Amino acid sequence: MGTRRDELLDAAITVLGERGIRALTHRAVDAAAGLPVGSTSNHFRTRDALLDAVVERFAARERAAWEDLARRTYPTTPHELARVLVLAAREATGAHRTLTLARYAILVESGIHPSLRAQLSATGAEVNAWFLQWLRVAGSTDPERDAPIIMNHFTGLVLHELAIPDPAFDPTDQITALVTTVIRPRSAEVPS
């Protein structure tokens, strides 16, 4: 069972994911949490304090979702990695839709608030580290090059599906083509 603080922050994430950044107010969070007016401001005196705490909570929830995915699978080939990313895209646009929409709202807001940018970079470091490891295990010879190519495409693909939902959404072919093209197979060294 979470704390009252976590309950408020989860309600704030729901407000963000369902109504956008402008809707994120203390009163909106109180209402979403089903708590008396003033509950949110008792924990977070300013909107900036609320937003900073939301980023921490959001990052923890997103990291937990990715860690759950990592526990269920360990891709050792480009095709297996593509399957995992397809599953992640489906979860991000399905079961975790509100959380993902909140993520994009926070990302856009970080363009205006540099403190959020720094906070997002710091909280994303753990996820980035294990994704680089997945790339290595899947056969990437240059994970630092491959990671942004794959994840930036993944981010755009998910954003597009959230913005313009397709009932037949199936990113399998696109993600598989991307991953198997980007991850360069290991080859034997050619004598000089």
Side-chain angles (χ1 to χ4, degrees):
M1 185 165 165
T3 65
R4 174 63 51 96
R5 183 178 192 278
D6 289 347
E7 191 178 334
L8 289 165
L9 293 173
D10 288 340
I13 289 167
T14 298
V15 169
L16 271 173
E18 291 179 353
R19 300 185 353 220
I21 195 77
R22 289 182 180 211
L24 185 66
T25 65
H26 288 85
R27 283 184 181 264
V29 174
D30 291 340
L35 295 171
V37 172
S39 298
T40 302
S41 64
N42 284 336
H43 287 269
F44 313 100
R45 294 316 250 169
T46 66
R47 187 171 188 275
D48 285 344
L50 174 60
L51 194 53
D52 285 345
V54 165
V55 170
E56 287 175 26
R57 179 68 176 164
F58 153 80
R61 284 184 54 190
E62 188 170 70
R63 199 168 37 251
W66 279 98
E67 287 170 357
D68 177 58
L69 186 60
R71 276 191 299 275
R72 290 184 277 150
T73 185
Y74 189 72
T76 58
T77 68
H79 284 280
E80 288 175 4
L81 179 58
R83 276 195 296 274
V84 171
L85 291 175
V86 167
L87 177 61
R90 287 186 175 137
E91 288 182 1
T93 58
H96 299 295
R97 180 181 175 81
T98 300
L99 181 64
T100 308
L101 284 165
R103 175 181 189 259
Y104 287 107
I106 291 167
L107 285 172
V108 169
E109 193 67 13
S110 74
I112 300 164
H113 291 92
S115 64
L116 292 178
R117 201 173 315 142
Q119 196 176 0
L120 286 172
S121 293
T123 59
E126 188 176 328
V127 172
N128 292 340
W130 65 251
F131 187 67
L132 287 171
Q133 181 58 29
W134 270 7
L135 285 170
R136 285 182 193 93
V137 171
S140 172
T141 57
D142 193 352
E144 286 77 17
R145 173 186 88 65
D146 298 346
I149 294 169
I150 293 169
M151 290 314 292
N152 287 338
H153 180 84
F154 176 88
T155 298
L157 180 80
V158 168
L159 175 61
H160 189 269
E161 176 58 21
L162 292 170
I164 307 167
D166 177 357
F169 177 63
D170 184 1
T172 304
D173 291 343
Q174 207 175 132
I175 290 175
T176 301
L178 174 71
V179 172
T180 58
T181 300
V182 169
I183 295 180
R184 297 175 182 159
R186 293 182 181 107
S187 59
E189 284 190 32
V190 178
S192 46

